Amino acid sequence: MNDWPDGWTGDRGERGNRYGRGSAGAQPEGARAMPHVQPRGVPQQSQGYDRGYEPGYDSGYNTGQVYGSPPGGGGRDGYGGPPPGVPRGPRQAPDWRRRIKVGALTLVVVILAVSIGTYFWADGKLKREVDLSKVIERPESGDGTNYLIVGSDSREGMSAEEKKKLHTGSAEGKRTDSMMILHDGSNGPTLISLPRDSNVTIPSFVGSESGKTFPSTGRQTKLNAAYAEDGPELLVRTVEFNTGLHIDHYVEIGFAGFANIVDAIGGVELDIPKAFKDTKSGADFQAGTQTLDGEQALAFVRTRYAFANSDLDRTKNQQKFLAALAAQTATPGTILNPFAFYPTMSAGLDTLIVDKDMSLWSLGQMFFAMKGVTGGDGTSMNMPISGSVGGNLVWDKAKVKELVNQLNNDEKVTVSGN
């Protein structure tokens, strides 16, 4: 039995009297009605309104809806948007004001997070080992802030190769290699060098470790001997007793830390007016402007035997270099560049010893006060000297008293040093 509709044969692809491939006719036939073919198992559909179907009958067949279109209507091709031929509405303009506010808020949060993190990181590196509460019979505080800045010859943490390279020797313990008072006040900073060979009186003091009271015997010795005898606390006590100036904070840095800071910022540019050489410190400099690395910088600030005035000339070089170091460190290129800022901070803080009351804020103020000395906002000088005794330098008591009065009253310093 042939189940194919009329005009079809049972052979695949063959149809009688059709136009096209395999057509028996040479010309196309006129339009004719195609007989409706009802698939087996499917009920006969009724004709609609305009096609004769019965009203209300749902055949269940797809009438053109694209399945999977979003709820609420299918836009163009069923994927949203207006259907073909319907113009789109105007695109909503971006809210730039809101975007700027969100961006600014995000930036502020990031800066705060980095700043707070940096603060705690740096604060954790400070070695607060000096207890100024152990210093007895202290003079009254004046206006402004006074820092005692000490460069020690500590070789702590240095290898034998580093000691040889930096010409530090291998002596045990540590001594003061340089001492300065930095006064930070409303009339600008004042940097005063205290020669290590200054002749001073060792006053009564309480031992920093033993807690034992040592009465004064009127013994006179070099200033750096006070540090060697009982450390920073006795040094502060001796400076205060011989000057009458209250020391608010103590800051000490060793050889390795000093050299590392210089290397971390890529060296310090300095003008050396006259060539000099010193085999003990390793200094060998030509005249002119040059950039000193850590090794050369340490040799520069330690040299004294190459100069006629020995320690007095050395203290001037120390002031000159430290001021240049501060000026070249406190630049946008260092502060705003994390690849320069963090190594520099780490190099300094790793070997920095301060008093127990020192804060990062006070340390920052000291640093910028040091920079101000170079910028022309301050004064640098040596402690006024009147002569010498037994090879030790004797301070000019009248000038020292006047200088201290001016510092305590935060007045402009008019006293000149050597």
Side-chain angles (χ1 to χ4, degrees), residues 371-403:
K371 179 185 177 183
V373 174
T374 299
D377 296 331
T379 303
S380 61
M381 59 184 290
N382 276 325
M383 187 64 77
I385 304 297
S386 62
S388 64
V389 55
N392 296 345
L393 299 173
V394 178
W395 294 351
D396 188 321
K397 293 184 178 180
K399 286 188 175 182
V400 169
K401 183 177 181 180
E402 184 181 0
L403 172 62

Side-chain angles (χ1 to χ4, degrees), residues 342-391:
Y342 285 102
T344 302
M345 286 279 288
S346 182
L349 296 175
D350 280 343
T351 59
L352 203 64
I353 297 174
V354 298
D355 64 271
K356 293 183 179 297
D357 295 326
M358 174 69 84
S359 66
L360 285 176
W361 176 259
S362 296
L363 191 63
Q365 286 182 313
M366 183 201 80
F367 181 78
F368 282 100
M370 183 76 75
K371 179 185 177 183
V373 174
T374 299
D377 296 331
T379 303
S380 61
M381 59 184 290
N382 276 325
M383 187 64 77
I385 304 297
S386 62
S388 64
V389 55

Side-chain angles (χ1 to χ4, degrees), residues 294-315:
E295 178 184 351
Q296 294 170 322
L298 190 58
F300 180 82
V301 299
R302 294 183 62 219
T303 298
R304 61 172 175 161
Y305 294 105
F307 306 127
N309 291 323
S310 186
D311 207 33
L312 289 177
D313 285 340
R314 179 172 70 165
T315 56

Side-chain angles (χ1 to χ4, degrees), residues 263-295:
D263 286 335
I265 65 171
V268 173
E269 186 177 85
L270 200 67
D271 180 28
I272 300 177
K274 185 178 180 180
F276 65 89
K277 186 175 182 179
D278 180 21
T279 56
K280 290 190 175 182
S281 67
D284 186 4
F285 297 103
Q286 300 299 317
T289 300
Q290 50 205 284
T291 299
L292 278 58
D293 61 20
E295 178 184 351

Side-chain angles (χ1 to χ4, degrees), residues 99-313:
R99 292 186 181 184
I100 291 173
K101 287 181 179 180
V102 172
L105 181 60
T106 302
L107 180 61
V108 169
V109 171
V110 170
I111 292 175
L112 284 176
V114 172
S115 300
I116 293 173
T118 299
Y119 177 88
F120 283 105
W121 168 78
D123 188 74
K125 281 182 169 289
L126 280 179
K127 298 179 180 179
R128 297 182 173 92
E129 300 176 358
V130 180
D131 189 356
L132 296 183
S133 67
K134 295 180 180 180
V135 181
I136 62 173
E137 301 175 12
R138 309 191 67 185
E140 293 183 2
S141 299
D143 296 331
T145 305
N146 299 315
Y147 301 86
L148 180 59
I149 304 173
V150 175
S152 76
D153 63 0
S154 172
R155 299 155 179 85
E156 182 179 355
M158 296 177 64
S159 64
E161 183 178 351
E162 289 173 326
K163 292 176 183 178
K164 182 178 180 181
K165 177 183 177 182
L166 299 176
H167 301 273
T168 64
S170 300
E172 295 298 327
K174 59 181 181 180
R175 290 165 295 277
T176 53
D177 208 58
S178 61
M179 290 161 284
M180 302 178 185
I181 294 175
L182 175 64
H183 174 82
D184 184 20
S186 58
N187 279 291
T190 302
L191 185 62
I192 308 163
S193 286
L194 310 176
R196 59 180 290 178
D197 294 337
S198 296
N199 193 73
V200 295
T201 300
I202 301 296
S204 60
F205 67 96
V206 175
S208 59
E209 297 295 333
S210 66
K212 181 181 177 180
T213 299
F214 295 87
S216 175
T217 61
R219 175 168 54 101
Q220 293 187 328
T221 185
K222 292 181 179 181
L223 180 60
N224 67 335
Y227 182 94
E229 187 173 335
D230 198 51
E233 287 85 0
L234 179 55
L235 178 61
V236 172
R237 167 73 174 133
T238 302
V239 169
E240 290 186 341
F241 178 81
N242 286 270
T243 62
L245 187 68
H246 182 91
I247 300 299
D248 297 291
H249 292 294
Y250 177 90
V251 181
E252 175 186 326
I253 189 168
F255 282 161
F258 181 83
N260 289 340
I261 291 175
V262 175
D263 286 335
I265 65 171
V268 173
E269 186 177 85
L270 200 67
D271 180 28
I272 300 177
K274 185 178 180 180
F276 65 89
K277 186 175 182 179
D278 180 21
T279 56
K280 290 190 175 182
S281 67
D284 186 4
F285 297 103
Q286 300 299 317
T289 300
Q290 50 205 284
T291 299
L292 278 58
D293 61 20
E295 178 184 351
Q296 294 170 322
L298 190 58
F300 180 82
V301 299
R302 294 183 62 219
T303 298
R304 61 172 175 161
Y305 294 105
F307 306 127
N309 291 323
S310 186
D311 207 33
L312 289 177
D313 285 340

